[in-house]
């Protein structure tokens, strides 16, 4: 929430990640096709998309694991192709499977990762990062003995141990139980501000809760990019209202009555006396709807405005035939980039 | 070098923590100790000559080194940790060399332990053990181990399965070891036959066992070591293009 005001008041925020027409082919098929975006210092950016959309491929290119087929990216000014080592130094990365050395203790593993990352005092850095992710009470336990949630914290700790400018987390909550998911999301939110974070997820509420900005990726392309709350607002169209009356009333009669109200665009009977009303953009037919229902002598059980969730947007954008929406958003993306520039 | 040493250090700690090394070390010590006991208890009293024995130790290494090295890269691939290592600010060569270095250190520990046998022999024999040829035989053992471990690292880079890496390693080493036999075949005297035979491990190794340190043999083993490690590095690199 404070993020967006930051952004509007300060247009010159430091660019941490600048992705420039990144493309990667597996054989003849592009897994990622001409992707460009930016991430700013202190921002949490979410990659949202169905499985196989190209999220992991993009992350692997940013971290220097896979070379791009064409295009490039700069991390804190270091080019990932021509200056890979310098770029890798400022990145912390947790792959999706959370690969750890199960035969090492938490402390020994984090000290090893700190050494690998050229941290001057590796033991001290390991201690510090263990406190930061609240795993210090298990410092001397073997990683193999930890629960999945604690392993995930160790995985995040190794991505943090060298205090990187950019942290890349691939599906950081996958395979965790609901309580662990909340813990990990909380941890990621705590890191907000100190580091730029790019995370991928296919869980929509997660992107909504954790991220400042969301890039929706489908079939190797960015189909939408905006701040989380704008994205929700943008595709909402006219307001939606949920109206409930007793189920024994004739659906056709009620639909007809509701449709007649000024400002109502469509009415759909959802069964059990529930009707989904879409209003014309800019109109608010709620008072008239209430009056109509009550005027007919029907008991009004419920009248609720419904806001479209990211889920609706997501489904709309990633549907099999996304042609019209895809074109729209492609234009929007270009607009946004011009704003940044 | 510092990066490679960080990798090697972790790996050495891991060797000591896992049963595989202790089983191999125990097996090697028991077997070589048994052979040594047989050797000094021969009906005709033994000469103070370690060389035949050290040659036999060398052949045990043909089986032990692939088992020691098979885990190094295969397990990293299987567990997905290779992705973390290959996105750390170290290059692929440092990673491969560090892994090999760890196995080499463990191997050297095993070889140093056989110095007990030399010590006992030195006490038993009237004139003591001749230091020169014995030293040459040990140089041969160390160089042989270095090359065999590098081949093990190479086969370990090719697969996610430790078992496949181990078997492949033993097979490659067997073929390479007995390649020298080619020269005893009818066409062995031809240029090609001689060239193939030259690539065989055994002749180069046995020369050390005869107390001869020849620069050509040292070059052979070092080439084999670094060539295999270089190929392993390229194998890892191909992962980036798959």
């Amino acid at each position: 929430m404070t993020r967006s005001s930051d952004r509007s008041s300060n247009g010159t925020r430091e660019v941490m990640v600048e992705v420039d027409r990144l493309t990667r082919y597996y054989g003849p098929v592009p897994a990622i096709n001409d992707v460009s975006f930016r991430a700013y210092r202190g921002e949490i950016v979410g990659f949202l998309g169905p499985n196989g959309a190209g999220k992991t491929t993009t992350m692997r290119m940013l971290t220097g694991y896979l070379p791009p087929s064409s295009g490039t990216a700069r991390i804190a000014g270091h080019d990932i192709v021509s200056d890979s080592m310098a770029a890798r130094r400022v990145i912390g990365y947790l792959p999706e499977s959370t690969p750890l050395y199960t035969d090492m203790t938490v402390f020994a593993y984090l000290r090893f990762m700190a050494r690998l990352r050229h941290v001057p005092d590796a033991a001290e850095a390991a201690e510090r990062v263990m406190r930061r992710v609240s795993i210090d009470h298990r410092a001397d336990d073997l990683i193999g003995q930890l629960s999945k949630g604690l392993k995930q914290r160790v995985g995040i700790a190794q991505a943090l141990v060298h205090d990187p400018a950019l942290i890349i987390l691939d599906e950081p909550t996958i395979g965790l139980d609901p309580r662990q998911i909340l813990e990990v999301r909380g941890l990621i939110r705590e890191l907000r501000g100190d580091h730029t974070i790019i995370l991928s997820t296919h869980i929509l509420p997660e992107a909504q809760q954790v991220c400042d900005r969301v890039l929706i990726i489908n079939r190797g392309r960015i189909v939408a990019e905006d701040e989380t709350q704008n994205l929700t607002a943008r595709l909402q169209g006219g307001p939606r209202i949920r109206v409930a009356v007793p189920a024994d009333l004739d659906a056709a009669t009620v639909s007809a009555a509701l449709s007649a109200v000024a400002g109502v665009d469509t009415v759909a009977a959802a069964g059990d006396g529930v009707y989904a009303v879409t209003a014309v953009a800019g109109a608010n037919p709620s008072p008239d709807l209430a009056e109509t229902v009550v005027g007919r002598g029907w008991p009004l059980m419920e009248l609720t405005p419904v806001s479209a969730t990211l889920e609706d947007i997501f489904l709309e954008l990633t549907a099999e035939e996304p042609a019209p929406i895809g074109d729209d958003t492609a234009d929007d993306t270009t607009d946004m980039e011009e704003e940044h520039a | 070098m510092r990066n490679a040493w960080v990798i090697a250090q972790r790996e050495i700690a891991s060797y000591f923590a896992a049963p595989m090394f202790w089983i191999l070390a125990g097996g090697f010590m028991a077997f070589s100790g048994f052979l040594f006991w047989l050797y000094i208890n021969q009906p005709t009293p033994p000469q103070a000559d370690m060389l035949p024995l050290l040659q036999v130790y060398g052949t045990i290494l043909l089986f032990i080194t692939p088992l020691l090295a098979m885990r190094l890269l295969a397990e990293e691939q299987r567990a997905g940790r290779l992705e973390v290592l290959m996105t750390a600010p170290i290059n692929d060569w440092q990673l491969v060399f560090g892994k090999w270095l760890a196995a080499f250190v463990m191997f050297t520990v095993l070889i140093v332990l056989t110095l007990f046998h030399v010590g006992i022999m030195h006490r038993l024999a009237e004139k003591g053990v001749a230091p020169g040829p014995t030293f040459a035989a040990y140089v041969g053992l160390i160089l042989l181990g270095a090359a065999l471990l590098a081949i093990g690292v190479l086969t370990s880079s090719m697969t996610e399965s430790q078992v496949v890496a181990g078997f492949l390693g033993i097979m490659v080493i067997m073929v390479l070891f007995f390649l020298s036999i080619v020269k005893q075949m009818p066409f062995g005297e031809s240029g090609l036959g001689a060239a193939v035979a030259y690539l065989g491990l055994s002749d180069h190794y046995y020369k050390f066992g005869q107390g001869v340190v020849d620069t050509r043999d040292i070059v052979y083993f070092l080439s084999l070591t670094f060539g295999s490690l270089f190929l392993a590095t390229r194998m890892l690199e191909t992962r980036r293009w798959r």
Side-chain angles (χ1 to χ4, degrees):
Chain A
M1 286 109 258
T2 49
R3 291 280 135 211
S4 60
S5 55
D6 260 21
R7 180 113 168 262
S8 45
S9 65
N10 180 8
T12 57
R13 284 209 293 150
E14 189 184 341
V15 176
M16 194 50 71
V17 181
E18 191 170 17
V19 176
D20 185 15
R21 313 200 62 174
L22 212 51
T23 301
R24 166 80 193 198
Y25 283 88
Y26 289 119
V29 189
I32 277 293
N33 198 351
D34 202 21
V35 161
S36 299
F37 67 90
R38 289 175 175 190
Y40 297 86
R41 176 180 285 281
E43 188 178 40
I44 304 186
V45 175
F47 285 177
L48 187 61
N51 295 330
K55 304 185 296 273
T56 299
T57 303
T58 306
M59 290 182 152
R60 285 181 166 173
M61 284 193 281
L62 292 180
T63 53
Y65 184 61
L66 295 178
S69 303
S70 68
T72 189
R74 280 169 294 282
I75 316 285
H78 306 291
D79 192 289
I80 59 162
V81 177
S82 61
D83 199 5
S84 176
M85 287 299 155
R88 291 187 203 181
R89 258 176 224 121
V90 296
I91 299 176
Y93 176 41
L94 177 61
E96 181 177 338
S97 59
T98 315
L100 302 167
Y101 288 95
T102 47
D103 60 344
M104 295 177 88
T105 66
V106 173
F107 173 73
Y109 172 65
L110 293 174
R111 190 183 50 187
F112 163 68
M113 288 308 290
R115 278 188 189 148
L116 204 57
R117 300 289 196 166
H118 305 160
V119 177
D121 189 345
E124 194 270 330
E127 297 277 1
R128 182 165 35 79
V129 80
M130 281 193 301
R131 284 194 297 275
R132 186 144 183 211
V133 304
S134 316
I135 191 88
D136 41 336
H137 60 295
R138 304 294 294 271
D140 296 325
D141 289 353
L142 291 180
I143 291 173
Q145 293 169 348
L146 301 180
S147 71
K148 202 143 192 241
L150 291 181
K151 278 185 189 145
Q152 196 67 8
R153 283 201 222 173
V154 176
I156 293 175
Q158 65 79 23
L160 280 178
V161 74
H162 52 302
D163 201 23
L166 172 66
I167 300 172
I168 296 182
L169 307 171
D170 195 356
E171 298 271 6
T173 60
I174 203 162
L176 302 181
D177 72 33
R179 192 178 48 81
Q180 293 166 341
I181 288 177
L182 291 180
E183 279 175 14
V184 168
R185 281 183 195 160
L187 181 60
I188 294 169
R189 274 197 298 265
E190 278 170 33
L191 301 175
R192 175 196 298 260
D194 298 349
H195 310 266
T196 301
I197 301 176
I198 294 180
L199 62 87
S200 69
T201 179
H202 64 273
I203 306 167
L204 302 144
E206 182 161 290
Q208 230 160 357
Q209 282 175 30
V210 178
C211 302
D212 302 312
R213 204 147 55 86
V214 175
L215 308 180
I216 298 184
I217 300 182
N218 193 37
R219 294 179 181 183
R221 286 177 179 277
I222 294 180
V223 294
E225 169 186 1
D226 208 340
E227 281 168 37
T228 314
Q229 64 264 44
N230 293 356
L231 208 53
T232 315
R234 196 172 83 200
L235 276 128
Q236 207 159 336
R240 297 176 199 194
I241 302 147
R242 196 178 129 99
V243 179
V245 294
D248 53 354
L249 292 172
D250 178 51
T253 319
V254 177
S255 292
L258 296 180
S259 300
V261 173
V264 169
D265 188 15
T266 62
V267 176
D272 278 340
V274 176
Y275 298 83
V277 176
T278 319
V280 178
N284 181 12
S286 292
D288 293 343
L289 283 171
E291 205 166 299
T292 304
V293 172
V294 175
R296 297 265 185 149
W298 300 330
L300 180 60
M301 318 283 284
E302 182 187 344
L303 192 140
T304 326
V306 182
S307 63
T309 60
L310 212 44
E311 192 144 4
D312 301 321
I313 300 165
F314 182 77
L315 290 175
E316 224 169 311
L317 289 172
T318 58
E320 278 303 300
E321 296 291 328
I325 298 167
D327 287 347
D328 282 349
T329 48
D331 290 342
D332 288 353
T333 317
T334 328
D335 289 346
M336 286 196 47
E337 273 169 13
E338 277 161 13
E339 271 170 42
H340 295 324
Chain B
M1 193 59 202
R2 184 180 170 271
N3 288 332
W5 181 238
V6 172
I7 297 281
Q9 253 183 320
R10 198 216 68 81
E11 205 61 47
I12 289 167
S14 187
Y15 268 123
F16 280 115
M20 190 57 162
F21 172 71
W22 298 107
I23 293 169
L24 286 177
F28 178 70
M29 291 321 292
F31 194 52
S32 61
F34 176 65
L35 291 175
F36 180 70
W37 180 81
L38 284 180
Y39 186 71
I40 61 174
N41 285 295
Q42 287 171 105
T44 49
Q47 301 102 24
D49 186 2
M50 282 298 287
L51 301 184
L53 204 52
L54 290 177
Q55 285 197 355
V56 176
Y57 292 175
T59 50
I60 303 176
L61 294 181
L62 301 182
F63 299 94
I64 284 188
T65 46
L67 298 180
L68 204 56
M70 66 185 186
R71 185 194 54 165
L72 292 171
L73 290 167
E75 183 61 13
E76 299 287 3
Q77 297 181 63
R78 190 199 57 74
R81 293 186 299 244
L82 200 61
E83 195 172 338
V84 175
L85 295 174
M86 287 175 76
T87 55
I90 70 169
N91 61 42
D92 297 353
W93 165 256
Q94 292 164 339
L95 171 60
V96 167
F97 185 74
K99 291 286 187 183
W100 172 85
L101 186 61
F104 184 68
V105 167
M106 302 311 285
F107 161 81
T108 307
V109 169
L110 289 188
I111 293 304
V112 166
L113 287 175
T114 64
L115 286 174
F116 278 112
H117 301 172
V118 179
I120 294 169
M121 181 73 94
H122 192 68
R123 284 285 183 89
L124 288 179
E126 281 170 27
K127 290 189 216 156
V129 172
T134 307
F135 178 75
Y138 269 93
V139 171
L141 272 179
I142 294 283
L143 286 172
L144 177 69
L148 298 183
L149 288 170
I151 293 169
V153 168
L154 173 59
T155 59
S156 186
S157 73
M158 294 170 160
T159 169
E160 295 193 352
S161 160
Q162 293 191 44
V163 177
V164 171
F167 269 106
L168 201 59
I170 290 177
M171 275 162 52
V172 170
I173 286 168
M174 283 297 134
V175 169
L176 212 50
F177 194 79
F178 291 111
L179 220 50
S180 312
I181 293 175
V182 169
K183 71 171 181 252
Q184 288 160 21
M185 294 179 178
F187 55 88
E189 297 302 316
S190 69
L192 182 67
V196 171
Y198 180 80
L199 293 176
L201 269 170
S202 53
D203 279 4
H204 295 282
Y205 172 62
Y206 287 144
K207 267 166 78 186
F208 287 103
Q210 289 149 11
V212 181
V213 177
D214 187 331
T215 324
R216 281 174 300 179
D217 300 321
I218 296 176
V219 169
Y220 169 84
F221 279 113
L222 291 182
S223 308
L224 190 56
T225 305
F226 285 95
S228 299
L229 293 180
F230 174 74
L231 284 180
T233 309
R234 300 314 293 256
M235 281 305 301
L236 289 192
E237 246 174 61
T238 64
R239 291 183 62 91
R240 298 185 191 268
W241 295 105
R242 267 181 246 162

